[in-house]
């Protein structure tokens, strides 16, 4: 009987220790909507994190693995949001993050309180500090807006609140005061849609025009559907089939048997299948060994026409060489067209 009671006490102790250990582990969710994760945090009265990740990026994979293995002193709520999931696309449009992973720290009522880039030990420590103390930490946050983090976060929180209100059919005009401070397409888009909800077509037209003035290849890549909406407000007869498009014959250029120290010319033909001018604004090469020959890096391809651009590859080392070319344009299908150059240098 003594052995029985002793065994029972041991089992109860082990059960208690396991439950304590379990309670100390991070509470992890994956690709929950913001409404879902903020509701969970509100019900539990806990601050929470949304971590923006790229499933193809090693740093993001490492962050998830480290977080899944990490034990904390108390429950912490994390939502891992992979940006390739459609439910999470808006995070990138909202923040325009320079680095991934990026940890967005929120209070229990869904207010943005900090942004922590990267997955280093220091980043985890500052994230814990922001969660514990509900404060914006001093951890540096390089950002597209070039604004100090302590100033930027309240502005981005207003954008978030406006976005959430808009999803519930309400436009309060909260975002109007920050359009000229956060001068990027997403705030204009929210303002434009809000004005449409309020049947203010005059101001919606004006905002749409302001938004179109911000169009660049990188913005068009990220905000394609938003720009299309703006163009439809400006021109009710807008037809996406008329927009300029970009196409090349090959997106992988293979150069065989190149002699080390030698040169190999090659060309790329750019086609515009649209009804409007295709404006090539830049051609970016990943290496000085790729030289653009006989043409500027910005030019126009007329509608239903094509232009050949010539390159020279200079072999500077032996082996299998992989280099990249990016063509930036107003092509609605691929604003930033990627071409890979594979060279076998002997």
């Amino acid at each position: 009987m003594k052995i029985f009671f002793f065994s029972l006490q041991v089992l109860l102790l082990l059960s208690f220790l396991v439950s304590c250990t379990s309670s100390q582990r991070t509470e992890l969710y994956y690709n929950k909507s913001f409404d879902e994760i903020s509701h969970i945090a509100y019900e539990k009265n806990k601050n929470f994190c949304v971590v923006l990740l790229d499933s193809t990026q090693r740093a993001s994979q490492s962050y998830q693995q480290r977080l899944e293995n990490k034990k904390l002193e108390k429950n912490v709520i994390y939502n891992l949001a992979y940006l390739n999931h459609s439910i999470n696309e808006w995070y990138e449009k909202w923040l325009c993050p320079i680095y991934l992973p990026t940890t967005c720290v929120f209070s229990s009522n869904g207010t943005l309180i900090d942004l922590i880039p990267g997955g280093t030990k220091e980043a985890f420590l500052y994230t814990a500090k922001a969660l514990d103390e509900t404060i914006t930490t001093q951890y540096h946050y390089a950002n597209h807006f070039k604004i100090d983090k302590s100033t930027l976060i309240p502005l981005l929180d207003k954008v978030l609140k406006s976005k959430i209100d808009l999803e519930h059919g309400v436009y309060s005009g909260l975002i109007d005061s920050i359009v000229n401070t956060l001068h990027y397409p997403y705030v204009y888009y929210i303002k434009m849609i809000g004005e449409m909800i309020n049947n203010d077509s005059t101001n919606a037209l004006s905002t749409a025009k302001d938004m179109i003035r911000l169009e660049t290849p990188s913005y068009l890549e990220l905000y394609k559907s938003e720009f299309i909406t703006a163009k439809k407000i400006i021109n009710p007869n807008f037809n996406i089939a008329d927009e300029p498009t970009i196409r090349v014959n090959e997106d992988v250029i293979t150069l065989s048997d190149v002699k080390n120290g030698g040169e190999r010319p090659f060309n790329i033909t750019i086609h515009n299948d649209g009804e409007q001018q295709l404006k090539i604004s830049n051609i970016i090469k990943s290496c000085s060994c790729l030289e653009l020959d006989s043409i500027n890096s910005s030019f126009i391809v007329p509608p239903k026409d094509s232009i050949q651009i010539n390159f020279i590859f200079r072999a500077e080392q032996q082996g299998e060489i992989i280099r990249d070319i990016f063509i930036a344009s107003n092509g609605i299908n691929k604003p930033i067209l990627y071409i890979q150059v594979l060279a076998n240098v002997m």
Side-chain angles (χ1 to χ4, degrees):
M1 184 65 69
K2 289 182 179 179
I3 294 175
F4 171 77
F5 281 112
F6 177 76
S7 300
L8 183 61
Q9 287 175 328
V10 170
L11 287 173
L12 289 172
L13 179 61
L14 288 173
S15 175
F16 173 76
L17 290 174
V18 168
S19 65
C20 286
T21 301
S22 175
S23 68
Q24 290 175 358
R25 294 182 68 85
T26 307
E27 189 174 348
L28 279 180
Y29 297 88
Y30 300 84
N31 297 309
K32 290 282 188 184
S33 71
F34 186 78
D35 279 350
E36 289 175 313
I37 198 67
S38 57
H39 179 72
I40 291 170
Y42 181 79
E43 289 293 311
K44 297 185 176 186
N45 192 30
K46 292 183 179 296
N47 299 338
F48 66 100
C49 293
V50 176
V51 187
L52 309 186
L53 302 168
D54 178 351
S55 60
T56 65
Q57 183 194 59
R58 182 173 295 179
S60 292
Q61 296 164 359
S62 175
Y63 187 103
Q64 177 174 335
Q65 185 178 23
R66 184 173 180 180
L67 191 60
E68 288 173 339
N69 295 331
K70 189 175 180 62
K71 294 180 181 179
L72 302 177
E73 294 180 358
K74 61 181 181 179
N75 283 341
V76 177
I77 298 174
Y78 274 83
N79 180 42
L80 303 188
Y82 278 95
L83 296 180
N84 58 312
H85 285 249
S86 58
I87 196 173
N88 300 322
E89 288 177 353
W90 70 271
Y91 284 111
E92 190 171 12
K93 296 179 180 185
W94 169 47
L95 290 181
C96 294
I98 293 177
Y99 302 111
L100 293 178
T102 291
T103 303
C104 311
V105 184
F106 294 91
S107 67
S108 59
N109 65 1
T111 298
L112 180 67
I113 56 178
D114 207 355
L115 293 166
I116 309 288
T120 63
K121 181 179 180 180
E122 189 179 16
F124 275 97
L125 289 173
Y126 273 97
T127 299
K129 181 179 178 65
L131 285 165
D132 290 342
E133 301 179 24
T134 316
I135 60 167
T136 301
T137 67
Q138 297 299 313
Y139 196 69
H140 180 63
Y141 179 69
N143 62 85
H144 167 82
F145 309 101
K146 298 180 180 178
I147 297 176
D148 177 77
K149 185 170 76 167
S150 61
T151 303
L152 176 64
I153 285 178
L155 299 176
L156 289 173
D157 186 61
K158 284 186 179 181
V159 178
L160 175 60
K161 295 290 194 299
S162 297
K163 182 253 185 194
I164 294 171
D165 287 344
L166 207 60
E167 290 174 343
H168 292 90
V170 177
Y171 181 65
S172 63
L174 178 67
I175 207 169
D176 292 0
S177 62
I178 63 173
V179 167
N180 294 324
T181 305
L182 293 182
H183 197 58
Y184 76 123
Y186 200 55
V187 290
Y188 285 93
Y189 175 74
I190 291 175
K191 185 174 187 293
M192 177 182 70
I193 297 302
E195 288 162 345
M196 292 295 292
I197 287 176
N198 289 346
N199 295 314
D200 187 356
S201 56
T202 300
N203 279 324
L205 176 60
S206 176
T207 303
K209 290 178 178 178
D210 289 338
M211 180 178 168
I212 291 299
R213 293 188 188 101
L214 299 178
E215 185 179 310
T216 63
S218 57
Y219 274 156
L220 185 58
E221 178 107 335
L222 182 57
Y223 301 104
K224 182 186 298 184
S225 61
E226 287 79 7
F227 277 117
I228 288 173
T229 300
K231 290 177 180 182
K232 287 179 178 178
I233 289 175
I234 295 170
N235 176 16
N237 297 317
F238 171 83
N239 186 350
I240 193 172
D242 295 334
E243 289 291 284
T245 62
I246 185 169
R247 175 173 59 87
V248 293
N249 295 336
E250 299 174 293
D251 55 14
V252 178
I253 307 295
T254 302
L255 307 175
S256 302
D257 302 328
V258 183
K259 290 184 179 181
N260 190 19
E263 296 182 352
R264 174 65 62 83
F266 66 94
N267 60 69
I268 297 171
T269 301
I270 300 176
H271 301 267
N272 175 15
D273 299 322
E275 299 290 344
Q276 298 180 28
Q277 290 183 339
L278 175 66
K279 299 175 183 177
I280 307 297
S281 55
N282 201 6
I283 297 177
I284 304 159
K285 307 173 293 295
S286 67
C287 176
S288 60
C289 61
L290 293 171
E291 181 180 333
L292 184 62
D293 188 32
S294 74
I295 195 169
N296 294 324
S297 60
S298 60
F299 54 91
I300 289 175
V301 183
K304 304 296 183 182
D305 204 349
S306 64
I307 285 181
Q308 179 178 291
I309 54 177
N310 300 316
F311 289 85
I312 296 174
F313 170 72
R314 291 188 171 85
E316 300 173 346
Q317 63 186 77
Q318 288 182 316
E320 297 289 336
I321 309 299
I322 302 175
R323 297 294 182 261
D324 308 305
I325 297 173
F326 299 90
I327 303 176
S329 75
N330 65 335
I332 194 70
N333 58 328
K334 292 183 180 179
I336 300 178
L337 178 68
Y338 170 60
I339 297 172
Q340 190 175 69
V341 179
L342 304 178
N344 179 28
V345 181
M346 303 176 68

